[in-house]
Amino acid sequence: MNNLNHKPFCLEVWGDYACFTRPEMKVERVSYDVPTPSAVRAVFESIFWKPAIRWHPTKIEIINPIKWMSVRRNEVGTIASNKTGIIIEENRQQRAGYFLRDVKYRFYAVLEFIPIAERKNNQHTNLPEFLWDPDEREFMLEEIKNWEEQKDVYRKDENPGKYLAIFERRASKGQCFNQPYLGTREFSCNFKLIKDFETNPAITIDETRNLGFMLYDMDFSDLEDPKPMFFPARIENGVVNIPHYTSEEIRK
């Protein structure tokens, strides 16, 4: 059951700004030229995610030309706790940022179904009921019940097809659990499910070049000490192909 043989989903995503922050820039925010695989994964997860599934980005198509902008903005340099508040004036920091603007992409990703025995690192989180689709209410209640009872048995009604159908329905309606964003939460984006991407291909930018090593994602196999993963990224005629995380191209 654990395979990636399903047809990939395609989302067309666009927004005014984007920042896929380079981790080597410690002070000022500087974006990569293209989205990182982890940013693509986050967009799909904002529409649908459960402990039973894992998203694998496979490809990014760049539709709009890569354009840059420089912005100086105010940020808060600390985190407020529940017990003590913060005085913004004392923690305000002015930082420069080098962001992307007027971006449009097509993201491709494959949904992997994870058997119950392999879900040890996937923590279940209850969603507020107002975010549930009426068609999914029975399914969501059963998910919560099984999680609370810590059932470690294979459910006969649980299969990849159910999750594939739920994602397609949610994406078609424009539903999401949280607003998708492009790198940072202040840069929210719009999305549209492209069902006919094979017969209606995107017109990508005419650009081919190497991007060097780019952040792939975090390796959460050890929750106490997650490690970054990198891969050699390349734009080929406006397309960035993303290797699987088990590929030899991935550096940990």
Side-chain angles (χ1 to χ4, degrees):
M1 301 290 289
N2 189 1
N3 60 70
L4 296 172
N5 295 325
H6 314 300
K7 180 181 176 182
F9 286 104
C10 173
L11 290 177
E12 191 164 285
V13 177
W14 65 96
D16 294 331
Y17 308 105
C19 180
F20 310 104
T21 306
R22 289 176 174 270
E24 67 269 27
M25 302 296 181
K26 300 294 184 183
V27 179
E28 313 293 357
R29 291 183 185 273
V30 177
S31 177
Y32 284 115
D33 298 54
V34 299
T36 60
S38 58
V40 176
R41 171 181 58 78
V43 170
F44 279 87
E45 287 182 347
S46 68
I47 297 170
F48 180 63
W49 179 84
K50 302 294 292 180
I53 65 171
R54 180 184 297 130
W55 286 105
H56 293 279
T58 58
K59 187 169 65 175
I60 299 167
E61 292 178 339
I62 307 166
I63 299 175
N64 282 0
I66 299 174
K67 292 179 281 189
W68 296 91
M69 65 177 294
S70 180
V71 173
R72 186 169 292 277
R73 62 181 183 173
N74 293 325
E75 297 184 1
V76 177
T78 188
I79 299 174
S81 69
N82 293 330
K83 295 181 180 179
T84 60
I86 59 172
I87 299 175
I88 292 177
E89 284 74 14
E90 295 179 355
N91 295 279
R92 181 174 290 154
Q93 299 176 349
Q94 194 170 63
R95 293 182 175 179
Y98 199 46
F99 307 139
L100 299 167
R101 64 181 175 88
D102 188 22
V103 298
K104 190 172 186 179
Y105 309 102
R106 277 192 181 181
F107 293 160
Y108 294 79
V110 177
L111 184 152
E112 179 188 9
F113 175 76
I114 308 171
I116 291 177
E118 299 177 17
R119 299 178 195 170
K120 297 175 183 177
N121 287 344
N122 280 343
Q123 302 297 317
H124 185 83
T125 302
N126 288 343
L127 286 168
E129 286 194 31
F130 67 87
L131 288 176
W132 297 0
D133 188 296
D135 296 335
E136 300 165 5
R137 181 174 180 78
E138 184 178 345
F139 172 79
M140 299 293 280
L141 291 173
E142 188 177 3
E143 277 277 306
I144 294 170
K145 180 182 176 184
N146 280 290
W147 183 264
E148 291 175 344
E149 295 176 357
Q150 292 293 296
K151 286 187 177 180
D152 195 21
V153 295
Y154 178 73
R155 288 161 46 189
K156 293 181 180 178
D157 64 334
E158 192 172 54
N159 58 73
K162 176 179 288 187
Y163 297 106
L164 295 169
I166 291 176
F167 176 82
E168 184 168 337
R169 183 169 61 244
R170 294 186 64 84
S172 298
K173 293 180 179 178
Q175 295 175 321
C176 53
F177 293 134
N178 57 270
Q179 184 64 37
Y181 55 91
L182 296 171
T184 58
R185 286 191 179 274
E186 58 265 47
F187 297 155
S188 60
C189 65
N190 304 301
F191 68 91
K192 178 174 68 175
L193 179 68
I194 306 296
K195 295 182 180 179
D196 59 346
F197 60 87
E198 292 172 321
T199 57
N200 181 25
I203 301 175
T204 59
I205 61 173
D206 183 17
E207 189 169 335
T208 298
R209 60 186 167 100
N210 290 321
L211 299 174
F213 274 89
M214 174 187 285
L215 178 69
Y216 182 86
D217 208 327
M218 299 298 289
D219 180 3
F220 291 101
S221 55
D222 180 2
L223 292 178
E224 301 297 326
D225 187 22
K227 300 288 188 185
M229 299 184 288
F230 297 86
F231 79 111
R234 176 177 171 79
I235 302 175
E236 189 76 38
N237 295 320
V239 178
V240 179
N241 289 302
I242 303 172
H244 190 266
Y245 76 97
T246 58
S247 168
E248 293 181 351
E249 295 181 70
I250 305 300
R251 302 286 189 271
K252 299 182 180 179

